[in-house]
Amino acid sequence: MESTRKYWIPVFNILEHSCNITLAHPKYVKAIRGKKTDKKDAQWIADLFKHDLVAGSFIPPLPIRQLRDLTRYRFKLTNFSSSEKNRLQNSLTVSNIQLGNVVSDTFGKSSMNIIDKLLDNPHDTSFDIEPLIHRSMKGKLPELELAIDGLITPEQVGKIKVVKQHYEDLESRKADLEAIILSLAESYSKEINLILTVPSFKNLFSAIAVVSETV
């Protein structure tokens, strides 16, 4: 079988348990140029296989394929979330809201409390910040007051609200996906725990991703 895009997967799923399937990379079974048809391609691949000239691609077992699919999707969601975080930060910057220069994490609870307050009434930047922040940040009150002394236009307010909602939705969906990944990864707990003993490997999902890509 030639591995053309995703079209081979449903056929492979049906035949996997009843046939010994050799999945070939298109690069290695390409027919000679000429009048090319699907039927001629099939005959060509059959002839190559008959003479043991088709190198089969490695196909991991179904549980690993499922885990790989989900971990790759989680990576995509992480990238989407990062893009939205950058977009929100850019909106704050053009509005001269410099929270990022004062707090270590603009998306931390204290910082988001301040942003929510600004979005409720963009024209009021003289509100009391102290009740909105963690007590460990009390020493930064003067800096925070200067950091929010900007001007958020109605257009930027609307944009920030959309971006913030999208970011929160992405994080929520990512959490749902992670629950499914953890359930599938239970069978590989021994391998995952071994990977976590490697220096710099601290994130559980990074270890799961390694298992999904290498087993």
Side-chain angles (χ1 to χ4, degrees):
M1 184 186 297
E2 185 179 15
S3 58
T4 306
R5 296 186 183 179
K6 300 288 184 181
Y7 301 127
W8 62 273
I9 295 178
V11 180
F12 184 91
N13 290 340
I14 294 172
L15 300 177
E16 180 179 12
H17 301 293
S18 59
C19 300
N20 182 18
I21 302 172
T22 299
L23 188 68
H25 193 290
K27 177 181 178 180
Y28 303 115
V29 292
K30 189 178 293 184
I32 299 172
R33 289 184 178 180
K35 294 182 178 179
K36 182 178 172 65
T37 65
D38 288 341
K39 184 175 181 180
K40 286 182 178 180
D41 279 352
Q43 291 173 338
W44 173 256
I45 295 172
D47 285 340
L48 291 177
F49 185 76
K50 182 171 64 177
H51 292 91
D52 198 25
L53 295 174
V54 178
S57 301
F58 170 70
I59 304 297
L62 181 60
I64 288 294
R65 297 202 303 271
Q66 293 172 330
L67 192 61
R68 180 180 297 181
D69 179 54
L70 294 179
T71 54
R72 289 180 179 180
Y73 182 43
R74 179 183 177 275
F75 178 70
K76 291 286 188 182
L77 290 182
T78 300
N79 288 340
F80 292 152
S81 293
S82 296
S83 294
E84 292 297 65
K85 288 175 73 172
N86 292 336
R87 194 167 285 113
L88 193 149
Q89 181 60 61
N90 289 339
S91 291
L92 293 177
T93 299
V94 300
S95 303
N96 200 29
I97 304 298
Q98 303 297 330
L99 285 173
N101 294 338
V102 182
V103 300
S104 57
D105 181 13
T106 308
F107 285 78
K109 187 173 181 180
S110 296
S111 183
M112 292 309 294
N113 286 341
I114 295 172
I115 291 171
D116 286 339
K117 185 71 174 177
L118 286 170
L119 294 177
D120 286 341
N121 187 0
H123 301 293
D124 178 19
T125 60
S126 59
F127 55 86
D128 186 11
I129 297 177
E130 189 170 352
L132 304 174
I133 61 176
H134 192 270
R135 59 178 176 270
S136 62
M137 296 178 64
K138 302 296 183 183
K140 295 182 178 181
L141 273 174
E143 296 173 77
L144 289 170
E145 289 170 354
L146 286 174
I148 65 170
D149 189 18
L151 175 62
I152 310 179
T153 65
E155 293 77 18
Q156 286 298 328
V157 169
K159 179 183 175 182
I160 291 172
K161 285 182 178 180
V162 170
V163 171
K164 182 173 175 289
Q165 183 63 56
H166 189 206
Y167 169 75
E168 291 170 352
D169 288 344
L170 286 169
E171 287 297 296
S172 180
R173 300 293 75 76
K174 183 178 170 183
D176 293 340
L177 183 67
E178 287 176 345
I180 303 171
I181 291 173
L182 290 174
S183 177
L184 287 174
E186 286 180 358
S187 303
Y188 304 96
S189 58
K190 182 179 178 180
E191 292 84 353
I192 292 167
N193 289 331
L194 182 61
I195 292 170
L196 288 173
T197 64
V198 177
S200 79
F201 263 97
K202 297 180 181 179
N203 187 289
L204 175 61
F205 291 97
S206 295
I208 294 173
V210 171
V211 170
S212 72
E213 296 291 344
T214 59
V215 172

